[in-house]
């Protein structure tokens, strides 16, 4: 049994069905999905190659190694936060 305020980690699923791990107390204090928040890259969703293939095409093949365009977050996305707190 876990109580609110627990320092335990747990797995969560955001409205966009991203699975992520977070400490329970951080979720209670408003922290949400790190992928939707662009704090974590998910290939095929918010990576540079997916969001901006025209820019990824200019990616230097050796100077960025081992990073590839699929390994970096594209930046600000034109999407609403999926984890906004409920409004009264
Ligand atoms: Zn998400």
């Amino acid at each position: 049994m876990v109580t609110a305020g627990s320092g335990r980690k747990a797995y969560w699923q955001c409205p966009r069905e991203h699975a992520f791990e977070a400490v329970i107390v951080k979720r209670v204090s408003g922290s949400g999905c790190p992928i939707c928040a662009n704090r974590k890259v998910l290939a095929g969703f918010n990576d540079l190659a997916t969001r901006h293939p025209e820019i990824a095409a200019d990616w230097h093949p050796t100077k960025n190694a081992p990073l590839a365009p699929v390994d970096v977050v594209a930046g600000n996305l034109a999407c609403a936060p999926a984890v906004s707190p409920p409004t009264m």
Side-chain angles (χ1 to χ4, degrees):
M1 170 158 183
V2 293
T3 55
S6 170
R8 280 185 53 133
K9 274 189 170 182
Y11 286 94
W12 314 87
Q13 189 176 44
C14 83
R16 291 190 176 90
E17 300 189 352
H18 305 137
F20 62 99
E21 191 180 12
V23 175
I24 295 168
V25 67
K26 291 200 171 177
R27 295 248 42 213
V28 172
S29 64
S31 170
C33 173
I35 298 168
C36 289
N38 281 323
R39 285 186 287 109
K40 189 175 175 184
V41 67
L42 175 66
F45 176 70
N46 62 355
D47 62 286
L48 183 65
T50 298
R51 306 297 297 203
H52 300 287
E54 74 285 358
I55 297 172
D58 296 337
W59 187 265
H60 197 284
T62 56
K63 287 188 180 294
N64 298 303
L67 277 180
V70 294
D71 297 322
V72 296
V73 171
N76 292 332
L77 302 181
C79 67
V83 288
S84 53
T87 51
M88 295 292 171

